[in-house]
Amino acid sequence: MRSLSTTRPDPIAQKKRSKSASGYTNNSVRRNEDDILRSQILTLEWPPGVVPSELSNFESEARRLRYQALGKACHDAKIPSLLFGHHKADEKETLIMRLIEGYRGEGLRGIPAESDIPDCQGIYGAYRSGGRGYTTTLNASAKALALKRKGMAQMLPPAEEYREPGFEYGGVRIYRPLLRFSKRTLQSTLNDASIPWVEDPTNQDPTVSVRNAIRFLTQAGLLPKALSDPPHGDGYTLEIAAKNIRRKYQSRNDYADALFQACDIISFDARAGSLEVRVPTFADLKIPGDSFWRSPRSHWAFEREHIAARLVRLLLQLVTPKDHISLQSLETATKRMFFDSEKSYPGRGKTCTPSAVFTAGGVYCERVDSSIDDLKDLVQHTWRLSRQPYRLDSPEPECNLPPARPLPQNPKAKKQRPIASPDMPWQLWDGRYWVQVINGTSKPLKICPLTEDRLHLLKARVRAEDCQGTKRSAFLQGTLRAAAPGSLRFTLPAIVDEDDNVLVLPTLGFEFESLGIEWRIRYRRVVFPDNIKEEAVIALPEKELMV
């Protein structure tokens, strides 16, 4: 069994050093060299020219680099689960910090007990990918049973991840099993087991960070009474407030997930990342039996808008290029998708057709169902979601592909191929596609969106080849029409050369042969409703590299 210790940056060492590698302190506890848990010290690699001590946002930058170092190390060691030792005091400090920063509502729900590793977007194997690389001597069902018997069912990967060819899954998950324990309880437990408590000495320096300052005020009893724990455990504490907020947050998420499961996925085409879905209406949504929802009807009207926003986000996450979509940004989208139609009901005093087209969270949303004449049939709408067209005033997403080192020349070989390896790096393009490319040409290439100009050059080249009997023009036109009609085709990834000539359309499986380019592509990790039909999903072709 292997494990990585969770580590924290040594702020003093990092601020004193100006070198790229900064020191880490080790927080793991090890009784002897034969223990099953062994520690590993990681170092932070600061960008060239960056002096950590001069950074105004040193703490957040160190946190970002720390998570990236941990994510890469976990992937290299094939460790999908990372345990952190946060306890009650850490959560209280986090809540006070968020109060200071102006967080309200769900922003005060505390530290999550489990989550994807943050700050690792684009790092293959850490960020929602790389699950194919994890192996075990137990089959999946046996492993699940073993974990459940040990009371560790929460360590299982999400069962709803789509694990079909052409899709990525996995990634590093963070778990914090000690959040409900106080620091005093943990110290007492270790003391009973004759294990020393190890702590970074800089944690007690109130000048290092805001968190340290809050810790100092807490230990000295200098916090305002509203933020302090009552002497005998009575009263409304920050912990109780966070617990109530988490309960409300989870109830909303559970209800939204139930509605998501009720959505009818008509089709999902990974070739262009487009979704056609029939969504439920909120017009006749009933208040759940949970005691949390037993409140005035006006409160339920407010709550259902929160739930609807979560449902919208679950749908957009299947298509969006963004890592995160805030619920606050979906207020208008939620109204347009669900609640505009309520104005059409009898007794509203006026009629109004729901907005047929809008954009939200980097997604283009279009209502595609036929007009409804009979109001009693206003039950569900069908929407087509796709990647929002690229803005002309924003840089287009791209991945650079330098030439690979060629094999030694062989005069008898008709074609010199690059050194190909399944370990070649995967790159995340546009937040949607993981792409692995071996550029066997002599010039640099790049992955960028298919544009009108690039498509025009591509069609001209294909027509020229058709004159020689290749008959590829009809295939290209038919594939584009089926997978990416209209302007949707201009969100497709294309491998192009320095002259903007399209060499490969990887999601369509279209390429010019004899170019020495090896490639694989997968759609990012997604979560579909459990009832999705297999024929509704058009996956990307699973292509193996020639090695």
Side-chain angles (χ1 to χ4, degrees), residues 305-326:
E305 292 181 11
H306 279 274
I307 297 169
R310 281 165 168 75
L311 176 57
V312 171
R313 183 165 66 179
L314 287 172
L315 294 171
L316 297 184
Q317 284 174 342
L318 296 174
V319 177
T320 181
K322 296 186 176 182
D323 176 45
H324 176 73
I325 303 175
S326 69

Side-chain angles (χ1 to χ4, degrees), residues 276-303:
E276 191 166 321
V277 57
R278 188 176 294 113
V279 299
T281 180
F282 274 70
D284 299 318
L285 197 61
K286 298 295 188 281
I287 300 177
D290 189 333
S291 60
F292 168 74
W293 302 105
R294 295 171 188 168
S295 54
R297 190 74 191 182
S298 58
H299 176 67
W300 168 239
F302 172 79
E303 284 298 330

Side-chain angles (χ1 to χ4, degrees), residues 87-99:
H87 47 73
K88 274 187 178 182
D90 294 313
E91 180 164 56
K92 180 176 180 178
E93 292 162 7
T94 298
L95 289 170
I96 296 176
M97 287 177 63
R98 290 181 178 177
L99 281 171

Side-chain angles (χ1 to χ4, degrees), residues 229-285:
D229 294 332
H232 302 293
D234 300 323
Y236 197 76
T237 65
L238 273 177
E239 181 184 350
I240 296 175
K243 182 178 180 180
N244 289 337
I245 292 173
R246 280 196 298 271
R247 180 169 174 244
K248 178 184 290 187
Y249 171 84
Q250 190 60 49
S251 297
R252 289 171 174 172
N253 281 348
D254 290 344
Y255 205 153
D257 184 66
L259 291 171
F260 179 67
Q261 297 298 331
C263 289
D264 180 15
I265 302 293
I266 299 171
S267 68
F268 179 86
D269 195 335
R271 294 175 296 179
S274 61
L275 169 72
E276 191 166 321
V277 57
R278 188 176 294 113
V279 299
T281 180
F282 274 70
D284 299 318
L285 197 61

Side-chain angles (χ1 to χ4, degrees), residues 449-517:
L450 180 66
T451 62
E452 290 190 58
D453 292 339
R454 290 168 182 148
L455 181 58
H456 178 75
L457 291 174
L458 174 61
K459 288 182 176 180
R461 182 176 178 184
V462 172
R463 283 194 297 266
E465 286 195 356
D466 279 358
C467 294
Q468 303 174 8
T470 60
K471 305 298 183 182
R472 304 187 69 193
S473 182
F475 171 78
L476 176 62
Q477 292 283 19
T479 306
L480 284 172
R481 191 180 303 114
S487 60
L488 180 58
R489 63 191 54 178
F490 302 122
T491 65
L492 294 174
I495 300 177
V496 304
D497 61 17
E498 293 177 305
D499 298 321
D500 250 10
N501 294 308
V502 176
L503 307 180
V504 181
L505 294 176
T507 63
L508 304 185
F510 182 91
E511 63 182 324
F512 290 101
E513 298 178 355
S514 304
L515 294 177
I517 302 174

Side-chain angles (χ1 to χ4, degrees), residues 192-213:
D192 292 343
S194 300
I195 299 175
W197 175 269
V198 180
E199 186 169 339
D200 189 335
T202 61
N203 284 351
Q204 304 305 318
D205 185 352
T207 65
V208 168
S209 65
V210 175
R211 181 178 294 274
N212 281 13

